[in-house]
């Protein structure tokens, strides 16, 4: 089976513009950035989606995400940061990655995450709220 592209980046078999690396994580520039400076943060362990993480690794990922996002913001002097992560659907590389994307005021995302939808009414919104609330309760 063809090996994962991001595992090859970790092993230095594919070149990437690496901006940070330690024993658990690596961050590098996305090869097709939404905006320049668009960075990907990935675990060095081959973990496919958020659902496959251990809690400890995920906690470290949250801390690392904040640090790298701060680095991108300070490093290029952008106004803000968009964090996104595709799991399964729209996930083109099956190795978990957080997109850390620089944002500038007045520079909109084009055709990305829009158009938004609306709930038909408050009853429908309540139904969605309850389904998710119950599922979370069961996870405790
Ligand atoms: P997603 O669609 O959420 O799975 O995002 C995958 C991202 O990975 C996409 O923005 C492009 C980036 N990408 C894919 N292959 C490579 C690569 O070989 N090098 C780098 N630097 N980025 C890659």
């Amino acid at each position: 089976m063809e090996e994962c592209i991001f595992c090859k980046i970790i092993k230095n078999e594919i070149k990437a513009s690496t901006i940070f690396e330690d024993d658990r994580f690596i961050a590098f520039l996305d090869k097709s950035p939404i905006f320049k400076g668009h960075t990907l943060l990935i675990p060095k362990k081959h973990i496919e989606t958020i659902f496959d993480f251990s809690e400890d690794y995920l906690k470290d990922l949250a801390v690392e995400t904040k640090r790298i996002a701060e680095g991108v913001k300070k490093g290029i002097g952008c106004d803000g940061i968009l964090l996104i992560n595709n799991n399964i659907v729209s996930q083109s590389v099956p190795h978990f990655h957080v997109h850390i994307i620089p944002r500038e005021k007045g520079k909109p995302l084009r055709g990305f995450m829009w158009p938004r939808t609306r709930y038909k009414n408050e009853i429908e919104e309540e139904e969605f709220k309850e389904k998710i609330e119950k599922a979370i309760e069961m996870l405790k």
Side-chain angles (χ1 to χ4, degrees), residues 3 5-18 21 26 44:
E3 207 198 339
I5 296 168
F6 288 175
C7 285
K8 285 186 175 172
I9 288 177
I10 293 163
K11 288 197 268 177
N12 233 339
E13 291 170 12
I14 293 181
K15 204 174 153 319
S17 297
T18 299
E21 179 168 12
I26 179 167
K44 281 197 165 169

Side-chain angles (χ1 to χ4, degrees), residues 44-65:
K44 281 197 165 169
K45 192 169 173 210
H46 182 84
I47 295 170
E48 290 198 10
T49 73
I50 188 130
F51 310 113
D52 305 315
F53 268 92
S54 68
E55 288 207 354
D56 277 352
Y57 213 153
L58 201 52
K59 282 177 191 160
D60 291 348
L61 173 81
V63 172
E64 214 48 69
T65 301

Side-chain angles (χ1 to χ4, degrees), residues 23-101:
D23 56 335
R24 309 191 86 195
F25 298 100
I26 179 167
F28 52 89
L29 294 182
D30 191 296
K31 72 169 182 188
S32 358
I34 291 176
F35 293 115
K36 290 172 189 171
H38 179 165
T39 295
L40 299 174
L41 172 65
I42 71 171
K44 281 197 165 169
K45 192 169 173 210
H46 182 84
I47 295 170
E48 290 198 10
T49 73
I50 188 130
F51 310 113
D52 305 315
F53 268 92
S54 68
E55 288 207 354
D56 277 352
Y57 213 153
L58 201 52
K59 282 177 191 160
D60 291 348
L61 173 81
V63 172
E64 214 48 69
T65 301
K66 180 188 170 196
R67 218 170 61 81
I68 303 297
E70 213 163 352
V72 171
K73 186 172 178 302
K74 288 203 170 121
I76 66 172
C78 56
D79 296 323
I81 292 287
L82 169 67
L83 296 178
I84 48 166
N85 149 242
N86 290 311
N87 292 281
I88 306 166
V89 177
S90 294
Q91 183 176 4
S92 60
V93 181
H95 185 130
F96 183 92
H97 45 286
V98 183
H99 295 262
I100 300 171
I101 304 165

